[in-house]
Amino acid sequence: MSAPVRIQEADFSQDEEIAALKAGSKRMGGIATFLGCARDFSEGRDVHEISFEAYGSMALAEMNKLRNEAIEKFSLLDARIVHRVTTVRAGDNIVFIAAAAEHRAAAFDGCRWMIDELKQRVPIWKKEITPQGESWVTPHP
Amino acid sequence: MSAPVRIQEADFSQDEEIAALKAGSKRMGGIATFLGCARDFSEGRDVHEISFEAYGSMALAEMNKLRNEAIEKFSLLDARIVHRVTTVRAGDNIVFIAAAAEHRAAAFDGCRWMIDELKQRVPIWKKEITPQGESWVTPHP
Amino acid sequence: MIKVLFFGPIADRVESREMQLEFTPGMTLHDVVSHLGMQYPGAFGLVSFIAVNQTQVHDKQTLLHDGDEIAFMAKFSGG
Amino acid sequence: MIKVLFFGPIADRVESREMQLEFTPGMTLHDVVSHLGMQYPGAFGLVSFIAVNQTQVHDKQTLLHDGDEIAFMAKFSGG
């Protein structure tokens, strides 16, 4: 079975991720997931491709810490985080986060917390390739 | 392609639902989903099976209304609601809800609103089959 | 005729999922509720929602029409 | 030796992803920052986070050790 936290070039299957998540417990009542995708349009410009770069060893360590913290903080039964680092086109998958809990409130809260924290804490950068050229994305404060 | 709102006996595939959701737009930046599953334990008792019953025509109409309201209320790009009506065992899928938006906040808010409303408004009932016998589930106020 | 539907715990107590009532002009939802409520008091104690033709109705004075479908429903527990 | 890593927009401005600096005993993070910051002021204006051995460090007086890995990072934009 694949690791619950991964950085990879390849796309992922939600069915496989959910099956792996569910394998650990039959006490899960709710699984909340977040799937981040590449948009064809950002800040008023067409976007052809998005290219990702990561500080791999640190990013993976942070993502593992983040998962452990979420499990503890929201009493999750399990959680998974997968981030692609490659060049994607509009509509392609970028990041997948899943949080499983006995009840839905904790699953939603845990899932949302993980994607919010990931954006703050995990050393990954994206560059948008537009008809006007390439530019690194500067996150809003 | 399958309808975005369905009541069915059969299990569903998240990959298929997400693919159908994404087919409509390349402007989706975030897709939040909720998967409700059967737990093996509820209110202090083991649960062997859960059996669902629906007022089918009204349930489907309410679920469609709910989807339309969510799309409007949260400016979603698309949404899907699938509920199984059959007898399931611990770990099995019961309900799937997906909300796609340009940004993640609307996707999360819309998804959570739909499952909360579904539980309030859609005429479906569940019966838990435990070693001590069967009983209809009475929702908490 | 008026078609009456019962679901879940209510169907269990009525020991029936469906019945037909004779339609009479001027008949209201209240007439049906009081008629069936007397026959099945245990079941009607569980009724939280009533729908006429798949739409929730709160006003018991609602006039019925021949062919209407009335559903008596306990609190929902899907999802 | 100290291994220095640059990523994303910072790597673009430094025009390099990695360099090695001679280690000298007593060397602090501040020494590295001021040395490289003078050489690549445009790049260092983008630095929001610094990590030593994959852990964020806020104190520039942090003593370095031979073999340490320092990363200069712009604001993250993953997810």
Side-chain angles (χ1 to χ4, degrees):
Chain A
M1 188 149 339
S2 61
V5 174
R6 306 193 309 278
I7 291 176
Q8 63 187 38
E9 280 194 30
D11 198 5
F12 43 77
S13 151
Q14 264 148 124
D15 284 335
E16 285 171 22
E17 297 301 323
I18 295 295
L21 191 75
K22 282 171 137 191
S25 168
K26 289 198 187 294
R27 195 137 304 175
M28 295 170 182
I31 297 173
T33 78
F34 176 76
L35 177 65
C37 308
R39 291 188 299 142
D40 63 359
F41 194 79
S42 168
E43 320 249 318
R45 296 170 317 175
D46 288 325
V47 176
H48 287 179
E49 288 184 331
I50 303 179
S51 166
F52 287 88
E53 186 182 326
Y55 181 9
S57 54
M58 183 176 168
L60 198 63
E62 271 298 327
M63 284 160 61
N64 270 297
K65 248 172 72 182
L66 219 149
R67 171 176 175 268
N68 292 338
E69 286 175 34
I71 289 173
E72 175 80 17
K73 191 175 166 77
F74 299 96
S75 299
L76 302 179
L77 292 165
D78 202 356
R80 296 178 83 81
I81 308 176
V82 183
H83 201 302
R84 294 180 70 191
V85 170
T86 182
T87 297
V88 300
R89 298 177 150 273
D92 285 353
N93 294 332
I94 294 170
V95 61
F96 176 78
I97 294 192
E102 287 201 48
H103 299 287
R104 71 187 185 282
F108 274 117
D109 290 344
C111 183
R112 194 163 185 164
W113 184 83
M114 282 189 279
I115 181 65
D116 287 349
E117 289 287 308
L118 182 145
K119 286 176 177 265
Q120 299 287 326
R121 286 168 45 178
V122 177
I124 299 178
W125 298 270
K126 64 159 82 74
K127 183 164 65 177
E128 290 176 347
I129 294 121
T130 75
Q132 291 80 42
E134 304 184 350
S135 60
W136 291 98
V137 173
T138 309
H140 299 283
Chain B
M1 189 150 335
S2 61
V5 174
R6 307 192 309 278
I7 292 176
Q8 62 188 39
E9 281 196 29
D11 198 4
F12 42 78
S13 152
Q14 264 147 124
D15 284 335
E16 285 171 23
E17 296 301 325
I18 295 294
L21 191 75
K22 281 172 139 189
S25 168
K26 290 200 188 293
R27 197 137 301 178
M28 295 171 181
I31 298 173
T33 79
F34 177 76
L35 176 67
C37 308
R39 292 188 299 143
D40 63 358
F41 193 79
S42 168
E43 320 251 317
R45 294 171 317 173
D46 289 324
V47 175
H48 286 181
E49 289 183 330
I50 303 179
S51 166
F52 287 87
E53 186 181 328
Y55 181 10
S57 55
M58 183 178 169
L60 198 62
E62 271 297 327
M63 283 159 61
N64 271 298
K65 248 172 71 182
L66 219 148
R67 170 174 174 270
N68 293 339
E69 286 176 34
I71 288 172
E72 175 79 18
K73 191 176 167 77
F74 300 95
S75 300
L76 302 179
L77 292 165
D78 201 358
R80 296 178 82 81
I81 309 176
V82 183
H83 201 303
R84 295 181 70 192
V85 170
T86 180
T87 297
V88 300
R89 297 177 152 273
D92 286 354
N93 294 333
I94 294 168
V95 62
F96 176 78
I97 293 190
E102 288 202 46
H103 299 287
R104 70 187 186 284
F108 274 117
D109 290 345
C111 184
R112 194 162 186 165
W113 184 83
M114 281 189 278
I115 180 65
D116 288 350
E117 288 288 306
L118 181 145
K119 286 178 178 264
Q120 298 287 325
R121 288 168 44 176
V122 177
I124 299 179
W125 298 269
K126 65 160 80 73
K127 182 164 67 176
E128 291 177 346
I129 293 124
T130 76
Q132 290 81 45
E134 303 184 352
S135 60
W136 290 98
V137 172
T138 309
H140 299 286
Chain C
M1 300 292 272
I2 301 287
K3 188 195 219 179
V4 180
L5 302 177
F6 305 104
F7 298 95
I10 295 174
D12 282 3
R13 294 209 186 168
V14 172
E15 293 179 331
S16 170
R17 317 191 68 73
E18 182 174 337
M19 52 180 73
Q20 303 281 341
L21 296 181
E22 197 73 47
F23 171 75
T24 52
M27 197 177 187
T28 64
L29 183 55
H30 173 79
D31 297 334
V32 175
V33 173
S34 63
H35 172 67
L36 293 175
M38 282 215 289
Q39 253 180 293
Y40 308 104
F44 274 68
L46 296 177
V47 171
S48 286
F49 306 104
I50 303 173
V52 177
N53 302 328
Q54 294 98 50
T55 301
Q56 265 197 59
V57 168
H58 300 281
D59 180 4
K60 294 233 175 64
Q61 297 313 316
T62 299
L63 264 182
L64 299 178
H65 302 89
D66 201 10
D68 278 355
E69 177 178 294
I70 305 179
F72 291 104
M73 303 178 284
K75 272 204 182 135
F76 309 141
S77 55
Chain D
M1 299 294 270
I2 301 287
K3 186 195 220 177
V4 180
L5 302 176
F6 305 104
F7 298 94
I10 295 176
D12 282 3
R13 295 212 185 166
V14 174
E15 295 180 329
S16 168
R17 317 191 68 72
E18 182 174 337
M19 50 180 72
Q20 302 281 340
L21 297 181
E22 197 73 46
F23 172 74
T24 51
M27 197 176 188
T28 64
L29 183 55
H30 174 80
D31 298 333
V32 175
V33 173
S34 63
H35 172 68
L36 293 175
M38 281 210 296
Q39 253 180 290
Y40 308 103
F44 273 69
L46 296 177
V47 171
S48 284
F49 306 105
I50 303 173
V52 176
N53 301 327
Q54 293 96 50
T55 301
Q56 263 197 61
V57 168
H58 300 282
D59 180 5
K60 294 235 173 66
Q61 297 313 317
T62 300
L63 264 181
L64 298 178
H65 302 90
D66 199 10
D68 277 354
E69 175 178 297
I70 305 181
F72 292 105
M73 302 177 284
K75 273 208 183 131
F76 310 141
S77 55

